[in-house]
Amino acid sequence: MDKQSSNTVWHHATVTRSRREALNGHKSAILWFTGLSGAGKSTLAHAVEERLHQLKCRTFVLDGDNVRQGLCGDLGFSHQDRQENIRRIAEVAKLMLEAGTITLTAFISPFRAERQYARNLVPHGDFIEIYCNCDLSVCEQRDVKGLYKKARQGDIKLFTGISSPYEVPEKPDLIIDTGIYELEMCADQVMNMLELRGVIAPTQREM
């Protein structure tokens, strides 16, 4: 997945990540939500972003569907294209980490190797893998886009959970049972994790 050019050199700016974090009043981080389609990744990511925004944190959500409208609009869903999709997202998230932003990514990202690639791009502790655990049956019940139905009928090839595998994270930073708990409780778990990691201060939530 490494596509680094041999003819470029990273430019070190005078405005550093630490200075941006100091200005923002919080640390930057990458929250990587992974799970099956319908597991609630995007819904949870946006709920957490809303809470962070209320605390005046600098945030941005990278959503799977939205990213494929532009940045990854030229990619399909083959294994190779999925790898490239995650590579691009990981690189964008890395840049936003340097910008001092709390970046929330909501992607199925079904393969452990790609998620590990994204983790390895940034310093230890800056990548928080959040596994949205939800039974396939529940995801199918929530199938608002009708994708599972199409996959069952064979209209969509290589659909994760049906005709393409999802590799469950072995050691995620946080497991949230999104098929059981209400959205607010799930968001609470993420916010607590951010406090424990020192991304946001407990006093911020008390404001």
Side-chain angles (χ1 to χ4, degrees):
M1 295 179 69
D2 190 0
K3 295 191 176 184
Q4 183 176 358
S5 172
S6 60
N7 299 317
T8 60
V9 178
W10 184 267
H11 181 78
H12 295 279
T14 58
V15 180
T16 62
R17 172 185 170 185
S18 60
R19 290 179 67 187
R20 296 185 185 103
E21 289 177 332
L23 181 65
N24 293 340
H26 61 79
K27 292 184 178 180
S28 56
I30 298 171
L31 279 60
W32 194 280
F33 295 84
T34 177
L36 294 171
S37 177
K41 301 178 297 299
S42 293
T43 301
L44 179 55
H46 283 285
V48 172
E49 184 188 35
E50 178 60 37
R51 290 200 186 188
L52 290 170
H53 184 76
Q54 295 291 336
L55 298 177
K56 304 187 186 309
C57 295
R58 306 292 185 184
T59 63
F60 196 80
V61 175
L62 294 171
D63 178 86
D65 285 345
N66 292 354
V67 166
R68 281 186 175 272
Q69 297 292 318
L71 178 66
C72 299
D74 59 323
L75 300 176
F77 291 91
S78 67
H79 182 70
Q80 183 176 2
D81 280 357
R82 286 185 172 192
Q83 280 188 321
E84 176 60 14
N85 183 57
I86 295 304
R87 189 195 70 80
R88 293 183 192 180
I89 298 311
E91 293 289 354
V92 170
K94 177 183 176 182
L95 291 173
M96 298 188 79
L97 184 75
E98 290 298 318
T101 301
I102 299 174
T103 305
L104 306 92
T105 76
F107 298 87
I108 295 174
S109 46
F111 303 114
R112 296 188 188 104
E114 281 79 54
R115 298 193 298 266
Q116 189 61 47
Y117 171 85
R119 183 187 291 273
N120 291 344
L121 278 180
V122 299
H124 178 73
D126 289 336
F127 182 95
I128 302 174
E129 184 178 32
I130 302 171
Y131 172 41
C132 296
N133 182 29
C134 186
D135 287 342
L136 177 61
S137 60
V138 176
C139 291
E140 290 199 66
Q141 291 171 16
R142 295 174 173 175
D143 192 15
V144 294
K145 301 175 186 176
L147 299 180
Y148 280 102
K149 182 178 180 180
K150 291 180 180 179
R152 292 287 188 188
Q153 295 172 341
D155 296 331
I156 300 179
K157 308 298 182 184
L158 299 176
F159 189 81
T160 303
I162 304 298
S163 50
S164 184
Y166 176 80
E167 298 176 354
V168 174
E170 295 180 330
K171 294 182 180 179
D173 298 280
L174 182 63
I175 299 175
I176 300 182
D177 291 316
T178 52
I180 299 175
Y181 297 115
E182 296 293 330
L183 177 59
E184 291 303 307
M185 188 175 295
C186 294
D188 284 340
Q189 294 180 54
V190 179
M191 296 298 289
N192 290 339
M193 166 66 78
L194 293 179
E195 283 187 10
L196 289 173
R197 290 294 185 91
V199 177
I200 61 173
T203 52
Q204 284 182 274
R205 292 183 68 184
E206 296 169 2
M207 293 172 63

